[in-house]
Amino acid sequence: MAIGFTEEQTDLADSVAGFVARHAPRAATRADLDRIAAGGRPPGWEALAGQGLLSLHLPEEHGGAGAGAVELAIVVEETARGLLPGPFLPTVLTSALLTWYADGPAGKETLHRFAEGATGACALSAEGLTARAADDGYVVTGTTGHVLAPQGADLLLIGARSGDGEVWFVLDATAGLAVEPVTGVDRTRGLGRITLREHHVPSGRVVALDTPRVRNLAAVLFAAEAVGLVRWCLETGLEYVKTREQFGRPVGSFQAVKHKCARMFVELETMAAAAWDAGRAVGGPDHQLALAAAAAAVCTAEARRLGLETITLFGGIGYTWEHDAHLYWRRAMSLDALIGPATRWHRALGDLALTGERDFTVRLDDEDPAYRDRIARLIADAAAVGEPARRRLLAETGLVAPHYPAPYGMDASPAEQLVIAQEYERAGMEQPSLVIGDWALPTVLAHGTPAQIEEFVPATLRGDLVWCQLFSEPGAGSDLASLTTRAVRSDGGWRLTGQKVWTSSAHEADWGICLARTDGDAPKHKGLSYFLVDMRADGVDIRPLREANGGYLFNEVFLNEVFVPDAHLVGEPGQGWTLARTTLGNERVSMGGMRLTSLDLPALARAADRSGDEAALSELGALTARSQAIAALGLRATLRSVSGLRPGAEASVTKVAAGWQVTAIAEAALRWSGPAAAAEDGSAGAVVHSYLSVPPQLIGGGTVEIQLNVISERILGLPRG
């Protein structure tokens, strides 16, 4: 649930969490709210500087550690999770802007002061102040908008409108400024406005900066704070619903509460991915930072909403002044108000999405160039011949499923798999997919006999065999252990009888992997066995199911005394449940990104905007923000694999988030198409078909509701109902 996921990043987060717990217990913060809001430094500020948390991101020559924006975001996240009071966020935002974006000596000259513990405050725009050129600088007049913690700040970073654009400058708090305190919603730090009256700013205090960069970096760090706030909310809410009892059992066992917590977890995970992605964009091209920052900026609105969800999760106790939940909710409200409405960021992101897209390319720090060259040559050789010779050549060289063990694959590590995927992409070739074979072959390789491996693996890799999965039944969809298809002993094998349904491509498949019950007296999970079924065998009756979109992807399959020889039973009788869940340790590694739809959303939004739908680009931005977050989840999962880390919760989260997102995309495209969407075969035909094809995304592989149950029980540890 955190922004950082590498061992080093986790260690950093743990260190910060421990520091905040020691130096800023919430009881002490509550007792000190008035003094801190008035500009007083919180207890432990000197220790904060001594620990290097104020200077982590500063250049080494200025007393810092030279860390990047992701590391700074991790620190900000943990300080928010612990509700560290005072001006930490505005201070590190100010010093980060001066470090990474403000050219000129004025900014660099102040960095050592931040390393020594100086506090800072930063306006988020140049509105409210005007500047006119004067001898050796500018004369500035006006009042800023609301600024975080200007009371007691040592250094102020402020912008003003001038005749030729904007001018930004760094001022000492002793320079004759007037700070008007404002009672902030967030009671844990100050809020105010800064007034300058004919104030002379010498040219030596001017820095090369602009509002877009200020707001984009603010969005990165505000998003990090939002993630920290929601982490505390969910962690604390979970602890409560696991122990609070109603009607004789924990409220966390009620499905409505479980689903609420699971939805909050999915939203938190996507927020963390968006904030991480925004952090990694800092220092890169401005267009990429703008894309990532606009997607991350809406985390503050999510935090505000989830803060309210947390209070209702607690019930009445959560709405009392004595409960800490409202302090986190208030901080989220403050962040959201200061960064600006999500709709404004969505519109900006919609405009950006018309001209570019976020880069989710994985770059490997340590790779063997000779290995990449060899893979490139093998793929080029395959590209030079036509099908089916190309597929056979790729199978012979191990490039169809490179993560498989030799001689069927290349024993490719996650990093090597990534190189192979990148070289396929560079060559303009699609990496072969075994479809259901990608599920069948790992089980055969792990548990099959040598004869089974030799019979099925090479032929499938060559493309000579196509597979389907005979698992789901009319009465056993998500509850797979309740299946009733029977397998009865017969001379030399088994006779299978039963009905399977929702079997993808069964009408085209050569073989099927099938779960059947071989022991009716054993517990549900124990009496199942795993068979390989010839889809052309006597007794196999395949009936295509016409879907709402008019297609025939799914089928129902009737097994009428279908004979399966012992040679096609995988493993031992009764091992079916274990085998069905088998995956090899070196699973295929994806490229990290995720394409959620084949629709050209920017083109559709542009067309809708031209027709007078001014909300289309804003909606495009909202969809783009969520799609980028889901792609960032995929990239994080890829980097975990490449780094040898254990898988996180990305797979379960992505399943739910992608289902929601595919639905939202299809609905938006339908709206944008207007009356044309009433015709299935007209100009909006692809849009109509896309919407009609949504249900499999929400049902296949376990419905979204089942996935929420899995998340709530297996990941969040909530009790079963």
Side-chain angles (χ1 to χ4, degrees), residues 260-277:
K260 180 172 184 171
C261 292
R263 285 193 298 270
M264 289 179 66
F265 177 74
V266 171
E267 289 163 331
L268 172 56
E269 283 282 294
T270 53
M271 286 172 60
W276 168 79
D277 184 49

Side-chain angles (χ1 to χ4, degrees), residues 431-661:
Q431 188 168 358
S433 171
L434 305 178
V435 195
I436 303 300
D438 279 324
W439 300 355
L441 294 199
T443 304
V444 173
L445 284 167
H447 301 284
T449 64
Q452 289 171 343
I453 293 172
E454 194 54 37
E455 179 180 2
F456 293 108
V457 175
T460 303
L461 294 173
R462 291 193 302 267
D464 297 336
L465 297 181
V466 175
W467 291 81
C468 66
Q469 183 187 51
L470 301 167
F471 282 10
S472 295
E473 297 183 2
S478 298
D479 184 15
L480 190 58
S482 295
L483 61 83
T484 60
T485 295
R486 303 187 318 276
V488 179
R489 264 292 184 187
S490 181
D491 278 346
W494 304 78
R495 293 281 178 183
L496 273 60
T497 301
Q499 180 185 355
K500 301 293 183 176
V501 74
W502 307 121
T503 308
S504 302
S505 302
H507 57 298
E508 300 172 342
D510 302 294
W511 288 83
I513 51 177
C514 180
L515 282 183
R517 191 165 298 283
T518 50
D519 185 349
D521 297 326
K524 289 198 305 183
H525 292 84
K526 300 294 185 182
L528 304 178
S529 299
Y530 193 104
F531 296 94
L532 307 179
V533 177
D534 184 348
M535 296 302 290
R536 296 178 177 83
D538 290 342
V540 176
D541 181 9
I542 302 171
R543 302 178 188 177
L545 294 170
R546 190 174 188 187
E547 303 157 47
N549 64 11
Y552 290 92
L553 173 63
F554 300 113
N555 304 262
E556 54 183 347
V557 179
F558 294 88
L559 304 173
N560 303 306
E561 296 285 317
V562 176
F563 180 72
V564 178
D566 283 327
H568 291 160
L569 169 70
V570 182
E572 299 295 327
Q575 291 184 335
W577 184 257
T578 299
L579 269 60
R581 299 177 64 186
T582 293
T583 54
L584 294 182
N586 56 342
E587 291 181 353
R588 185 188 297 271
V589 173
S590 71
M591 290 286 285
M594 172 177 285
R595 186 171 179 82
L596 294 167
T597 179
S598 60
L599 297 175
D600 187 345
L601 283 181
L604 289 170
R606 189 182 294 111
D609 185 57
R610 281 199 303 268
S611 66
D613 183 358
E614 296 182 359
L617 289 184
S618 180
E619 192 168 18
L620 173 63
L623 294 171
T624 301
R626 182 55 66 105
S627 291
Q628 287 184 190
I630 295 172
L633 278 171
L635 179 57
R636 284 160 65 95
T638 298
L639 294 176
R640 281 184 189 273
S641 297
V642 170
S643 302
L645 300 174
R646 293 179 60 187
E650 290 92 351
S652 295
V653 169
T654 300
K655 163 66 179 170
V656 174
W660 291 341
Q661 180 70 348

Side-chain angles (χ1 to χ4, degrees), residues 83 103 211 215 239 254 438 659 663 685 694:
L83 204 70
D103 292 334
T211 293
R215 292 187 59 77
E239 183 180 354
F254 299 120
D438 279 324
T663 304
V694 163

Side-chain angles (χ1 to χ4, degrees), residues 156-171:
L156 302 167
L157 180 58
I158 305 173
R161 303 278 188 189
S162 68
D164 54 356
E166 295 180 357
V167 57
W168 285 79
F169 42 90
V170 182
L171 296 178

Side-chain angles (χ1 to χ4, degrees), residues 190-415:
L191 185 72
R193 290 188 286 259
I194 304 165
T195 297
L196 291 82
R197 295 184 177 87
E198 293 294 305
H199 188 92
H200 181 256
V201 177
S203 59
R205 308 306 295 168
V206 174
V207 295
L209 195 60
D210 57 37
T211 293
R213 282 180 165 175
V214 171
R215 292 187 59 77
N216 284 339
L217 188 56
V220 174
L221 298 186
F222 279 32
E225 268 227 347
V227 172
L229 297 175
V230 177
R231 280 185 60 201
W232 180 90
C233 287
L234 182 57
E235 290 165 353
T236 310
L238 285 171
E239 183 180 354
Y240 179 79
V241 299
K242 287 177 183 178
T243 56
R244 173 77 165 119
E245 291 193 355
Q246 286 285 298
F247 306 105
R249 57 193 179 109
V251 297
S253 66
F254 299 120
Q255 189 174 69
V257 175
K258 290 163 70 170
H259 281 196
K260 180 172 184 171
C261 292
R263 285 193 298 270
M264 289 179 66
F265 177 74
V266 171
E267 289 163 331
L268 172 56
E269 283 282 294
T270 53
M271 286 172 60
W276 168 79
D277 184 49
R280 77 185 186 95
V282 174
D286 281 348
H287 185 77
Q288 288 293 311
L289 174 59
L291 283 163
V298 300
C299 288
T300 61
E302 293 292 287
R304 172 181 50 74
R305 182 178 59 81
L306 293 173
L308 179 58
E309 290 282 342
T310 301
I311 287 177
T312 60
L313 196 63
F314 280 104
I317 188 83
Y319 189 55
T320 62
W321 186 267
E322 288 73 20
H323 200 285
D324 290 335
H326 77 92
L327 297 176
Y328 286 81
W329 185 31
R330 283 170 169 271
R331 184 173 284 194
M333 291 171 64
S334 175
L335 291 174
D336 187 40
L338 290 170
I339 203 64
T343 51
R344 187 181 302 164
W345 288 96
H346 285 156
R347 178 56 196 253
L349 184 54
D351 286 331
L352 290 166
L354 296 178
T355 57
E357 60 183 20
R358 184 76 180 101
D359 180 9
F360 289 102
T361 303
V362 182
R363 294 170 179 83
L364 302 173
D365 294 330
D366 301 315
E367 69 167 71
D368 180 3
Y371 182 83
R372 184 179 288 276
D373 290 343
R374 182 168 73 88
I375 296 301
R377 287 196 301 272
L378 290 172
I379 292 176
D381 291 343
V385 300
E387 294 288 3
R390 175 184 298 171
R391 178 63 177 263
R392 288 197 297 270
L393 182 58
L394 290 172
E396 290 169 4
T397 55
L399 282 168
V400 172
H403 54 301
Y404 285 4
Y408 311 106
M410 304 180 76
D411 286 303
S413 68

